[in-house]
Amino acid sequence: MTSIGATAVLDRQGLEALVAALVAGGRTVVGPTVRDGAIVLAELDSAEQLPYGWGVELEAGRYRLRRREDGAAFAHSAGPQSWKNFLHPQREKLWSADRSAEGEVTVRTERPLPPSYAFLGVRPCDLRAIAIQDRVLSGGHFQDTGYAERRRGAFLIAVECTEPGATCFCVSMGTGPGADSGFDLALTEVVDDTGHRFLVRVGSEEGATLLDALPRREADAATTGAAREAVAGAVDKMGRSMPPVDLHALMGASLEAERWDDVASRCLTCGNCTMVCPTCFCTTTEEVTDLTGDHAERWQRWDSCFDLDFSHLHGGPVRSSGRSRYRQWLTHKLGTWHDQFNSSGCVGCGRCIVWCPVGIDITEEVTALKEEAER
């Protein structure tokens, strides 16, 4: 019987067996695959749908697929989606109400039984993001019951990062490139002269049970060493880094910084950064009705602090300028998030840099704020 902390090695056939076992067990397997010119997260029926032989080129405001010669499945950086798309979906019906001819109103909750998810390919930065959303959405007094139900049954298979992108900065945020906890199984992909394989580490009893059912072999010294070297080497390959400063204190002391005017002149307030961020959680609700007026529904959907109406109170929005809205996002993400949730809201995945249409770089902005504060 495999125990927590044990290691083993899977080959490509073993990875295929892993996905097959999860599907056979009633799991909805979600993992990376190539679609629409990007590596996206989608439901998988087979491990053959993984992006073998595909990598990505990342830069501020730029994302491109590129072919790889080694056939690696997980040698790519974060794509446009995160796992919050499944745990905290963009739009969700909360309830519906119907009025009978006699005027009696019946209200029904509309949350169906959630899928039993298995997430394959969760990067360490995204493991931390899931842990942060756990704290925000299910760790306090007011819980998002839909999130809690979807999260409760999710099986997490992490993949350690061995080839970070040009916009990654997880090392400086303390969230990668290795996975330490929060997973059921953790994979480290190794492709070298001796073959293509995956070092597996067990993180839970459920993970141990699943691994026992798979074709595998004992972890050998060569594979274990190669996996460790690959993860350690990723530390020096980060394309970005957050400056070594107390971000909580810096944000609090920079509310009147001139840099906000500079970034506001470039920011489109489109909200892309909040949509792709794996930890942004803001929502709003909307009620809709049919033409008869006898049927109504309430929906919850994502919202963004970049939307003009997000801070609308009687008389108008509190944050009417692009400067104030960008400042709100960044100071909350890196500063006041600590006050609310005892952690940063940033995990260093770099998605906000890549998917910003004008290439605003969060690490560059913080560096500028630091330099201005030191003048």
Side-chain angles (χ1 to χ4, degrees), residues 167-188:
T167 54
C168 295
F169 56 101
C170 69
V171 171
S172 58
M173 299 307 296
T175 60
D180 297 323
S181 62
F183 54 83
D184 294 286
L185 293 174
L187 308 180
T188 310

Side-chain angles (χ1 to χ4, degrees), residues 255 269 282 303-313 315-332 336:
L255 298 181
T269 67
C282 289
D303 204 353
S304 171
C305 54
F306 281 93
D307 289 345
L308 188 60
D309 288 339
F310 183 82
S311 65
H312 186 93
L313 298 177
V318 173
R319 292 183 286 273
S320 58
S321 67
R323 179 186 192 274
S324 63
R325 297 202 292 279
Y326 188 90
R327 184 182 65 181
Q328 160 63 23
W329 174 71
L330 192 60
T331 55
H332 184 219
T336 53

Side-chain angles (χ1 to χ4, degrees), residues 78-244:
Q81 302 158 296
S82 69
W83 307 96
K84 83 172 183 182
N85 291 61
F86 302 91
L87 295 174
H88 183 48
Q90 296 180 30
R91 196 163 184 263
E92 180 181 13
K93 186 190 290 188
L94 302 181
W95 52 256
S96 65
D98 289 284
R99 181 172 57 194
S100 67
E102 293 75 29
E104 181 179 352
V105 176
T106 303
V107 178
R108 294 179 299 278
T109 57
E110 294 288 340
R111 280 178 166 152
L113 188 67
S116 178
Y117 281 122
F119 294 155
L120 172 61
V122 184
R123 299 295 181 176
C125 59
D126 279 342
L127 275 179
R128 180 67 63 86
I130 291 172
I132 289 172
Q133 287 220 316
D134 286 349
R135 190 179 306 120
V136 172
L137 298 176
S138 61
H141 182 68
F142 300 100
Q143 294 191 3
D144 184 321
T145 55
Y147 176 90
E149 290 172 0
R150 288 183 289 269
R151 176 68 179 92
R152 191 175 299 118
F155 186 90
L156 304 185
I157 305 171
V159 172
E160 295 190 300
C161 185
T162 58
E163 192 169 326
T167 54
C168 295
F169 56 101
C170 69
V171 171
S172 58
M173 299 307 296
T175 60
D180 297 323
S181 62
F183 54 83
D184 294 286
L185 293 174
L187 308 180
T188 310
E189 187 171 25
V190 177
V191 185
D192 56 23
D193 293 340
T194 60
H196 189 177
R197 58 213 187 275
F198 305 86
L199 180 70
V200 187
R201 288 185 290 129
V202 176
S204 72
E205 293 183 0
E206 190 174 4
T209 300
L210 177 60
L211 184 59
D212 280 337
L214 302 178
R216 64 197 187 283
R217 60 181 173 84
E218 291 185 5
D220 57 280
T223 299
T224 301
R228 288 176 178 170
E229 288 179 9
V231 174
V235 172
D236 298 322
K237 297 178 183 177
M238 294 286 147
R240 298 288 199 281
S241 65
M242 194 65 79

